[in-house]
Amino acid sequence: MNTDKVPDTKLKGIKLIVADLDGTLLKSDKSLDDNIKDVISGQDYKFTIASGRSMILVKRHI
């Protein structure tokens, strides 16, 4: 996993970001990477997840 910080840039024109959990947002131990938390919090766009998991399993990560 790349541990570099994401540059502080505005995603101009982006209104919604959708990402998968496994292999995208979650580390191998199924925890959410701190860099991802920084990127998805406090921005001007909406963020949601898409997953093949059941909602019960997804809820522990949101």
Side-chain angles (χ1 to χ4, degrees):
M1 173 182 260
N2 185 355
T3 58
D4 295 336
K5 287 279 189 184
V6 175
D8 185 24
T9 59
K10 293 281 185 187
L11 298 175
K12 295 181 182 181
I14 302 295
K15 295 180 182 179
L16 175 67
I17 294 176
V18 181
D20 182 48
L21 286 175
D22 298 311
T24 305
L25 297 179
L26 300 179
K27 298 187 291 186
S28 59
D29 66 357
K30 302 299 181 201
S31 65
L32 192 60
D33 188 276
D34 288 337
N35 290 334
I36 297 298
K37 291 177 188 176
D38 291 342
V39 170
I40 64 177
S41 64
Q43 299 296 323
D44 294 333
Y45 49 82
K46 294 184 181 192
F47 180 86
T48 191
I49 56 172
S51 180
R53 294 177 179 215
S54 70
M55 191 59 172
I56 292 170
L57 296 174
V58 170
K59 280 187 176 182
R60 71 176 81 165
H61 299 289
I62 56 175

